[in-house]
DNA sequence: AGCTTATTTGAGTGATCACTCAAGTGTGAT
DNA sequence: ATCACACTTGAGTGATCACTCAAATAAGCT
């Protein structure tokens, strides 16, 4: 038979990620993966060793993309706090096939996997911890910019924020009514924005420190 | 072979619920169910028709138990608001094999199932809606007792509360550090309690309306 | 052009899946 | 005691699972 051209690892991982994110680890079969990656079993196993290894590679890819995206937001945002609030609003605005309408892949993995999937669970937790660290950095940045009171605790705020963002994505996935989702997202976004000290006070404090 | 004594439907459903809740729909095999229910395939199928039908029966049992438990809380609580806050604190206090440390079964189901599992998803959403209705009733009760301002919106508060309770249970399952979980639970519980109007104002308002 | 190596294929492996059904056994009625 | 019916069993069904490997083909080197 005519041999296919060599596979594109990045494209294969994207396809695998999308499939696992949609169907979960246990409900995704090799048959599904063959179709999505356009590779035959021999090739899949040559390239990725096992279904589990492929899942872990996809998970890492998800984590890196999310972390990088968050860092870009952090670098580009005039107001980190507003950026964080807007991330929540974006969840409510998304359409059904938007990744924002899906639960966080790391959370989905932890809810989905069983005690037989220790390695997968361990990596998911580790990536969740690292994502929390990224949120901490964003809250620290907000604090350093005078957007938060000096006694604000970025670690606590980040933990709360990550939990609530995650909940919001799950609500989006569970397809509660659109209006309800908007209301919930707005509540949570405003809660983030209400953390700030008022702009006048922030400017005065900034002037004093320079 | 010697025939087993007839199965106990309630006990079977409890065992099935526990197993599906632990392992999820797709990762639970008939072999697992045989062991957990102490029934052979022929009996399982005679009693429950299919794996999916058994899952749906277990889901309904979960929903009924949760709803009844919430209603009991509503009936017995002097302060519905405090009861709601304490539900959150209980999540942080639980040990690892406590059902409170597991994600809500309805949420887990919706995160876990695929597009091939429409019926399961539909029932889960319906039960989630009904649970939300129960939370609405509790917030309405709190309002009628003067625990909430007259302009408080029980529908919005219930939606927010359900989402956050759900998130908290997922955090408990994901095994973030215990201290972090306590802090998060306390944050959320206090947020609920901060909804109240002050007791003095509540008493005055109660006197005026009688 | 020929050869070696790398990569892909896809039929096939052994195991497991959800589910079936003929046979065996317990129960209740007569 | 006998019989009919209800209920359980567990070997077996057809399908699918994750994964393998001998064979075929493309690519690169000489």
């Amino acid at each position: 038979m005519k041999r296919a051209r060599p596979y594109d690892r990045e494209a294969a991982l994207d396809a695998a990620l999308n499939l696992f994110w949609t169907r979960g680890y246990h409900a995704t079969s090799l048959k599904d993966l063959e179709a999505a990656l356009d590779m035959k079993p021999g090739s899949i196993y040559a390239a990725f060793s096992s279904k589990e290894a492929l899942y872990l590679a996809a998970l890492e890819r998800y984590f890196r993309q999310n972390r990088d995206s968050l860092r870009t937001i952090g670098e580009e945002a005039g107001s980190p706090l507003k950026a964080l609030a807007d991330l929540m609003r974006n969840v409510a605005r998304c359409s059904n096939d938007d990744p924002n309408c899906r639960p966080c892949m790391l959370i989905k993995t932890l809810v989905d996997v069983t005690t037989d999937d220790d390695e997968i669970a361990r990596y998911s937790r580790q990536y969740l911890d690292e994502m929390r660290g990224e949120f901490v950095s964003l809250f620290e940045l907000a604090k350093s910019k005078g957007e938060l009171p000096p006694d604000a605790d970025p670690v606590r705020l980040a933990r709360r924020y990550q939990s609530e963002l995650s909940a919001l994505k799950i609500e989006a996935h569970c397809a509660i009514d659109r209006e309800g989702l908007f209301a919930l997202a707005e509540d949570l976004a405003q809660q983030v924005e209400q953390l700030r000290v008022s702009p006048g006070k922030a400017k005065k404090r900034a002037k004093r420190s320079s």
Side-chain angles (χ1 to χ4, degrees), chain A:
Chain A
M1 64 320 224
K2 229 177 187 312
R3 189 175 117 179
R5 62 188 297 164
Y7 77 104
D8 176 341
R9 188 175 172 86
E10 304 300 285
L13 283 177
D14 271 349
L17 170 55
N18 193 58
L19 189 62
F20 282 130
W21 197 355
T22 301
R23 295 184 62 86
Y25 181 63
H26 291 283
T28 299
S29 66
L30 254 301
K31 193 174 143 201
D32 296 325
L33 287 165
E34 285 177 50
L37 277 63
D38 197 21
M39 286 167 79
K40 300 295 191 175
S43 299
I44 293 178
Y45 285 91
F48 299 106
S49 303
S50 67
K51 183 183 173 185
E52 180 175 23
L54 176 55
Y55 193 92
L56 289 172
L59 208 59
E60 183 182 20
R61 186 168 180 78
Y62 174 85
F63 163 66
R64 287 180 186 284
Q65 284 175 340
N66 257 253
R67 185 196 55 192
D68 292 352
S69 169
L70 204 62
R71 285 181 178 172
T72 299
I73 286 169
E75 284 157 9
E76 294 177 357
S79 166
L81 219 50
K82 185 179 187 302
L84 286 163
D86 283 345
L87 273 178
M88 285 174 152
R89 292 187 176 104
N90 289 349
V91 172
R93 289 180 194 131
C94 63
S95 62
N96 280 341
D97 38 312
D98 188 321
N100 266 320
C101 261
R102 296 181 190 170
C104 166
M105 176 66 170
L106 303 174
I107 292 291
K108 179 184 168 78
T109 295
L110 285 169
V111 166
D112 188 19
V113 296
T114 71
T115 51
D116 299 325
D117 310 313
D118 278 351
E119 183 109 347
I120 293 177
R122 189 162 60 76
Y123 274 94
S124 280
R125 286 195 176 98
Q126 177 191 310
Y127 292 142
L128 269 179
D129 285 348
E130 293 189 44
M131 285 305 298
R132 186 178 307 116
E134 298 294 325
F135 287 123
V136 171
S137 296
L138 276 174
F139 278 102
E140 282 172 344
L141 179 62
K143 195 173 172 181
S144 74
K145 286 193 170 194
E147 290 192 306
L148 291 174
D151 61 349
D153 180 357
V155 169
R156 192 171 183 132
L157 291 171
R159 176 189 304 127
R160 174 84 182 259
Y161 179 88
Q162 186 183 39
S163 171
E164 289 179 339
L165 182 64
S166 177
L168 199 49
K169 291 184 173 186
I170 286 171
E171 295 294 331
H173 174 70
C174 293
I176 67 167
D177 61 293
R178 222 84 210 119
E179 192 183 313
L181 183 64
F182 265 81
L184 183 61
E186 194 52 36
D187 267 356
L188 295 172
Q190 286 184 8
Q191 176 182 274
V192 171
E193 287 172 337
Q194 276 153 15
L195 295 171
R196 75 172 69 247
V197 292
S198 69
K201 280 182 174 176
K203 276 177 181 173
K204 267 188 178 175
R205 186 172 290 117
K207 275 183 178 174
R208 276 179 189 142
S209 68
S210 62

